[in-house]
Amino acid sequence: MIHKIDTDEKGILKGINCFALDMDGTVYLGEKWIDGARDFLKAVEDAGKKYVFLTNNSSKNPQAYVEKLERMGHTIGLNQIVTSGEATIDYLKKNFPEKRIYLLGNELLQEEFQEAGIRLDEKAPEVIVVGFDTCLTYAKLCRVCDLVREGLPYISTHPDFNCPTETGFIPDAGAIHAFIHASAFRYPDHVIGKPSGDIMDYLAQQAGVLKHETAMVGDRLYTDVAAGVNNGYTGILVLSGEAGMKDVEESDVVPDLIFSSVKEMIPFL
């Protein structure tokens, strides 16, 4: 299949009223804006449309993202951030109400769970939740593997193997899953983040958007684009992060549109 880049021959973007934007690799890398990303955000607003940031990264809570963007010179509201951590809390409340949770996650994620009323318990949990724990220790890995071997329900916030940064990639939640599987022989029973329908349903609910009028924009085929095309959204790939055209040719996931970066979408809004 021949994939055209940086064009929208069918005028798909004209019918999009909301852009759900991945963050790492899509609008920034680390603390550095991807070229033209802020121009794109302004162009979306100028076109009378809206955007929300949808991230699988559960190492930060929404407030941390608001503060990060503020440091980078861009002000948004908390309602413009949706994280896999939030979607996981929603899932737990619906499917495991009042259960005691062992959470493999850093302090920000733990605080977010507790503030939402989730009961965290390291000694006698009933459910395991694995996030992107940037404070991971060998002792924590030993404990979570013990619990996984016990057969407790095993949930994860998201599947990403790597998180892009300004200097390359760092191991993400999917790499932690691989470690646990190598020792305890189980992968998560359920994963909430992109490409799961759980986070995409949560997004529509929280942002108050219609799926067919919303585009999921990101730099990964197996999470961002798959989340879009498999859940009733338009799926747009940008080549500013993880995926390249070679990945597109080899993937079963077919983006609706492909752009070099979000900046190249501006003329088609």
Side-chain angles (χ1 to χ4, degrees), residues 8-50:
D8 180 15
E9 295 175 344
K10 297 180 180 178
I12 293 172
L13 293 182
K14 290 291 185 187
I16 298 299
N17 290 322
C18 179
F19 292 89
L21 303 167
D22 178 56
M23 302 182 82
D24 297 299
T26 299
V27 294
Y28 60 60
L29 287 170
E31 298 266 339
K32 183 179 179 182
W33 288 101
I34 288 172
D35 181 48
R38 294 192 71 185
D39 295 328
F40 170 75
L41 299 178
K42 184 177 186 304
V44 170
E45 293 176 338
D46 290 346
K49 304 181 179 189
K50 69 177 183 177

